[in-house]
Amino acid sequence: MGSFASWTDAIDYLAERAAEERFVFIFDEFPYAAKRNEALPSILQVVIDRKLKTTNLFLALCGSNQGLMESQVLGKKSPLYGRRTIQIRLQQLGYLDAAKMLPGVSPQEAFRFYGCFGGVPYYLELVDPALSLRENLARLYFDRMGFLYDEPFGLLRQELAEPALYGSVLRAIAGGANRQKEIADRTGIPRTTLPAYLKTLENLGIIERVVPFGDNPSTSRKSLYRMRDACYDFWFRFVMPVVSSIESGLGPVVARELDETRITEYLGRRFERLCAEWLVREALENQLPLPIASVGAWWGTNPAKRAQDDLDVVAADIAGKRLIIGERKYRETFDESAEFADLETKRNLLSGRHVEYLYLFCKRQPSAGTLRKCAEHTDWRIITLDEMYEA
């Protein structure tokens, strides 16, 4: 095929080939090519309109920089605007597919890896399943040469004009500041301008805004912000605060001395997301006792207790009237019967709705006594982490 003197010649060649045969052409990192040659989108637009539209060419434009893809490919000012037939925002792998990239790893360890590295295929490729979680954390996060040592902040620098400010927002959220006032207090960003930063991070898929089940997302004043991306979550919680130590060469010591209690607490937060992901998967496969159409959580005032209360999991049918409510416990041991008793007291928290099933999500298999009690209650169910990983 040789080389081409210009982008026009190259794209014309594609049109000539496509007139004779059907094939797929994938243009990876298109925005960076367009940045080098600003005429490229216009050149492609002309060829699409005049030649490619009458061919069988399957053309896919890809890019890792979301901002550039939106402005140079999807944006209204782009010459290519209105010419796409489909757009796909690739998501990370779900927990079951992520586990397939870690052969020989138990469900318990697979979740620990998923909770710390997320579902980006390339990140999972870097994990060595023959090594422990802590050893993988040490070589990928806590080493100056580790691929993930600077990856999250590097992506912020690539996508955003004020990476330091966005980084402070992410560190605050990863550290437990979930409400706008708390985030503003920790970062020093005025509450009047903070929503714009939060919205940008939300659009990038790094964080998510959640409201209590039943609230209108547009008007609710109870919204919380939490980390959606596990890699960012882990990095801003555990790596960013010790960057100076890692830079000085003490990364192996920092990784070795990581408090296991803090890691377990962190994974407990990620476990709540796993429970929701499992429910969605089960609903799609029609494996739940109700036709679930929405999954969320609830927090607010419990009138019976006259105190704040919450439900880790709320799953509802299409009308939102029939519910599954649940709690998650990422602990080695706890009083399962007491948790079910507590769930029983929460049946009437969501007025106008009927709770039909109580689910308890556990890290380990419960005691024989609890299993016997569950057998006596047809509306009780226990789901273990191992069960969630059963294909």
Side-chain angles (χ1 to χ4, degrees), residues 163-185:
L165 278 177
Y166 285 99
S168 67
V169 172
L170 291 173
R171 184 173 180 181
I173 296 173
N178 302 119
R179 292 176 169 81
Q180 281 199 27
K181 183 180 184 305
E182 296 169 342
I183 298 168
D185 289 344

Side-chain angles (χ1 to χ4, degrees), residues 182-216:
E182 296 169 342
I183 298 168
D185 289 344
R186 289 200 191 184
T187 61
I189 299 174
R191 291 187 67 182
T192 53
T193 57
L194 179 61
Y197 291 96
L198 294 170
K199 190 63 180 177
T200 297
L201 292 171
E202 192 179 351
N203 290 339
L204 289 173
I206 300 173
I207 66 172
E208 61 184 351
R209 176 179 176 265
V210 291
V211 300
F213 174 84
D215 276 22
N216 185 331

Side-chain angles (χ1 to χ4, degrees), residues 279-301:
L279 280 166
V280 170
R281 178 180 288 273
E282 292 291 291
L284 290 172
E285 296 180 357
N286 198 29
Q287 296 297 309
L288 296 175
L290 296 178
I292 294 303
S294 62
V295 176
W298 180 88
W299 56 94
T301 302

Side-chain angles (χ1 to χ4, degrees), residues 59-228:
L59 175 65
L61 305 181
C62 307
S64 57
N65 188 311
Q66 183 176 319
L68 290 178
M69 281 296 289
E70 290 176 348
S71 63
Q72 297 182 0
V73 179
L74 304 176
K76 289 186 177 181
K77 294 183 179 180
S78 168
L80 296 172
Y81 178 73
R83 287 164 178 81
R84 71 185 187 276
T85 53
I86 190 173
Q87 68 184 61
I88 301 174
R89 181 176 178 179
L90 289 178
Q91 302 295 324
Q92 297 187 19
L93 297 180
Y95 73 97
L96 283 181
D97 290 322
K100 293 175 184 176
M101 298 191 67
L102 303 170
V105 172
S106 71
Q108 297 290 333
E109 283 303 295
F111 167 65
R112 283 162 62 84
F113 280 116
Y114 185 61
C116 295
F117 292 101
V120 175
Y122 185 63
Y123 298 171
L124 293 168
E125 262 190 355
L126 298 173
V127 171
D128 185 347
L131 301 178
S132 69
L133 172 67
R134 195 174 288 262
E135 289 171 322
N136 276 288
L137 293 175
R139 68 185 189 85
L140 293 174
Y141 279 117
F142 294 93
D143 187 319
R144 285 172 295 183
M145 302 298 289
F147 184 84
L148 297 179
Y149 167 54
D150 190 46
E151 175 75 352
F153 205 77
L155 292 175
L156 291 184
R157 290 195 296 267
Q158 175 181 299
E159 289 275 1
L160 304 167
E162 300 174 290
L165 278 177
Y166 285 99
S168 67
V169 172
L170 291 173
R171 184 173 180 181
I173 296 173
N178 302 119
R179 292 176 169 81
Q180 281 199 27
K181 183 180 184 305
E182 296 169 342
I183 298 168
D185 289 344
R186 289 200 191 184
T187 61
I189 299 174
R191 291 187 67 182
T192 53
T193 57
L194 179 61
Y197 291 96
L198 294 170
K199 190 63 180 177
T200 297
L201 292 171
E202 192 179 351
N203 290 339
L204 289 173
I206 300 173
I207 66 172
E208 61 184 351
R209 176 179 176 265
V210 291
V211 300
F213 174 84
D215 276 22
N216 185 331
S218 300
T219 58
S220 177
R221 295 186 177 183
K222 298 179 182 178
S223 62
L224 301 177
Y225 291 87
R226 62 184 185 183
M227 302 293 285
R228 182 179 181 187

Side-chain angles (χ1 to χ4, degrees), residues 26-35 61-65 69 158:
I26 299 175
F27 198 141
D28 197 16
E29 296 297 359
F30 176 80
Y32 292 109
K35 201 172 183 180
L61 305 181
C62 307
S64 57
N65 188 311
M69 281 296 289
Q158 175 181 299

Side-chain angles (χ1 to χ4, degrees), residues 35 47 232 271 360 366-367:
K35 201 172 183 180
V47 178
Y232 279 88
F271 186 58
L360 184 59
S367 66

